[in-house]
Amino acid sequence: MQMAKILVVDDDKHIAELISLYLRKEGFETKEVYNGRDAVEVFPQYAPFLVLLDLMLPGMDGYQVCREIRRVSSVPVIMLSAKGETFDKVLGLELGADDYIVKPFEPKELIARVKAVLRRYENKPSETPRAVVLPNLSVDAEKLTVIYHGEKLELPPKEFELLYFLASHPGMPFTRDRLLTECWGYEYAGDTRTVDVHVKRLREKMRKTDSWAIKTVWGTGYKFEV
């Protein structure tokens, strides 16, 4: 099973390393970055399951980083800050953060909050846009159309649903079983090869090199990488 990846963003390297140490002891994989711009740049490539985001960052603060993440993803974000005022907490939550932890905090509290947010996210119904628009690709769930490099691409219903679901969750890895449940609507007799066949067909129909792609997550399933 793939370890849940957590992006740790804090300009204090000592704190970032300490947080990563606690998380790795609990079985998480972590990556540390120390400013807001690097966080925004690294986010789509690393594709974390959750972001621990300090507010006071150089160049681009945590609020701005949260805005940028929310433009492209619904991945959970927990804000970390020495500011404990109600206004700061409310602003963070209104921008799309899932939780807010005031420094200093106990390691056990941090781990408990991370696990709680991940559980909520796993059980939360998918909130997806009705249309996904990327360079050379438009997937419209209202009109059930796909425009690829300026031309309409005819897809069978299940290929369309699979493409739309993956593209609506950029950077998020999904198991084959999860994709079966989401796109076929029920447990498809446990035959995960169905997903592999449909991904293969989609790749054959979209062979050109683009800034996005359906990537294989070895030992797990697939993700739509942007």
Side-chain angles (χ1 to χ4, degrees):
M1 180 181 294
Q2 185 185 23
M3 291 188 293
K5 298 189 294 184
I6 298 180
L7 183 63
V8 180
V9 189
D10 198 306
D11 64 330
D12 188 321
K13 293 186 178 182
H14 175 70
I15 291 177
E17 290 171 359
L18 200 59
I19 290 172
S20 287
L21 179 64
Y22 295 141
L23 291 169
R24 287 196 294 269
K25 283 184 177 179
E26 293 294 320
F28 296 104
E29 175 187 327
T30 66
K31 185 176 184 64
E32 301 155 29
V33 294
Y34 311 112
N35 65 72
R37 296 194 185 283
D38 285 349
V40 171
E41 183 177 337
V42 165
F43 176 80
Q45 286 83 29
Y46 187 57
F49 288 52
L50 181 144
V51 180
L52 283 171
L53 178 62
D54 185 42
L55 282 183
M56 304 303 290
L57 297 170
M60 178 185 288
D61 67 25
Y63 295 124
Q64 292 173 294
V65 174
C66 188
R67 284 193 194 97
E68 291 300 312
I69 289 175
R70 282 291 168 263
R71 286 179 58 245
V72 298
S73 175
S74 59
V75 162
V77 174
I78 297 179
M79 287 186 167
L80 308 175
S81 178
K83 294 182 175 183
E85 289 83 358
T86 301
F87 172 79
D88 297 298
K89 293 180 180 179
V90 170
L91 179 56
L93 296 171
E94 286 182 345
L95 288 174
D98 297 85
D99 203 350
Y100 190 108
I101 303 178
V102 178
K103 296 178 180 179
F105 48 79
E106 292 292 328
K108 288 183 179 179
E109 179 191 6
L110 175 69
I111 298 301
R113 296 278 195 99
V114 166
K115 290 181 177 179
V117 168
L118 285 172
R119 281 196 301 272
R120 290 203 304 269
Y121 183 77
E122 288 171 358
N123 296 326
K124 188 170 81 172
S126 299
E127 296 176 4
T128 56
R130 300 309 296 163
V132 178
V133 180
L134 296 167
N136 301 316
L137 179 68
S138 173
V139 185
D140 192 318
E142 296 286 351
K143 299 177 182 177
L144 299 178
T145 57
V146 176
I147 306 299
Y148 178 62
H149 282 264
E151 298 183 358
K152 188 175 181 180
L153 194 63
E154 298 293 343
L155 297 179
K158 291 306 175 189
E159 286 180 28
F160 177 89
E161 290 178 35
L162 181 59
L163 174 62
Y164 171 68
F165 180 76
L166 286 170
S168 298
H169 300 81
M172 288 294 296
F174 292 100
T175 63
R176 291 169 174 84
D177 286 331
R178 172 74 184 277
L179 292 171
L180 280 173
T181 301
E182 293 288 345
C183 300
W184 276 258
Y186 58 95
E187 295 298 335
Y188 197 70
D191 190 358
T192 56
R193 291 173 299 177
T194 301
V195 176
D196 296 334
V197 169
H198 281 71
V199 168
K200 181 181 178 182
R201 289 173 181 167
L202 285 171
R203 286 172 170 168
E204 288 173 349
K205 293 172 182 177
M206 297 185 294
R207 289 181 176 275
K208 297 178 182 179
T209 302
D210 288 287
S211 59
W212 46 265
I214 299 174
K215 295 286 189 179
T216 300
V217 181
W218 298 110
T220 302
Y222 297 97
K223 67 178 179 179
F224 193 90
E225 191 168 278
V226 178

